[in-house]
Amino acid sequence: MASVLLVEDEALIRMMVADMLEELGHTVSAEAANLAQALALASSAEFHFAILDFSLGAETSVSVADVLQVRNIPFAFASGYGSDGVPEKFLSRPRLRKPFQIDQLRICTDLLNVP
């Protein structure tokens, strides 16, 4: 179906979400565990959409979202804190509330209009 950039700083959660994405028929083509990796991949890697953990330790993935928006690549935020801290310009983007199930991930990818 579609290739995915997955940004998640918790290794076990990243593995779980990658498994769910693959179960939905997508391919995780790039993974990042921190902001520096995420920015590098967001700027140069080829993928159809991204799932961004909003909170990456003491940092957020907002700068990654900015890069994706410029590249016109759909993305969704995943967070255990709801919309707290999400800039107004991104409030219309799909969000996954952690912990989430595969059905919520499927709905999210549908909202992103990915192939």
Side-chain angles (χ1 to χ4, degrees):
M1 291 187 68
S3 58
V4 185
L5 166 63
L6 177 57
V7 178
E8 171 59 61
D9 61 342
E10 297 289 335
L12 291 176
I13 295 172
R14 192 171 58 252
M15 290 184 337
M16 180 188 70
V17 175
D19 287 346
M20 287 193 287
L21 286 163
E22 290 173 3
E23 190 173 328
L24 293 174
H26 303 297
T27 301
V28 177
S29 60
E31 294 183 35
N34 59 53
L35 183 59
Q37 291 173 342
L39 281 170
L41 290 168
S43 299
S44 62
E46 295 297 322
F47 50 90
H48 294 103
F49 73 97
I51 302 293
L52 308 177
D53 180 8
F54 183 76
S55 179
L56 299 171
E59 303 172 299
T60 71
S61 59
V62 170
S63 57
V64 178
D66 286 330
V67 170
L68 296 176
Q69 185 167 309
V70 168
R71 291 187 66 193
N72 201 31
I73 297 174
F75 64 89
F77 287 116
S79 175
Y81 305 103
S83 298
D84 290 352
V86 176
E88 188 173 326
K89 65 182 176 182
F90 294 131
L91 287 177
S92 65
R93 296 288 179 160
R95 285 183 303 283
L96 290 160
R97 178 135 173 110
K98 291 181 187 176
F100 55 86
Q101 301 295 318
I102 193 166
D103 291 336
Q104 285 119 355
L105 183 57
R106 179 183 293 114
I107 291 167
C108 181
T109 60
D110 289 346
L111 289 172
L112 293 171
N113 294 317
V114 296

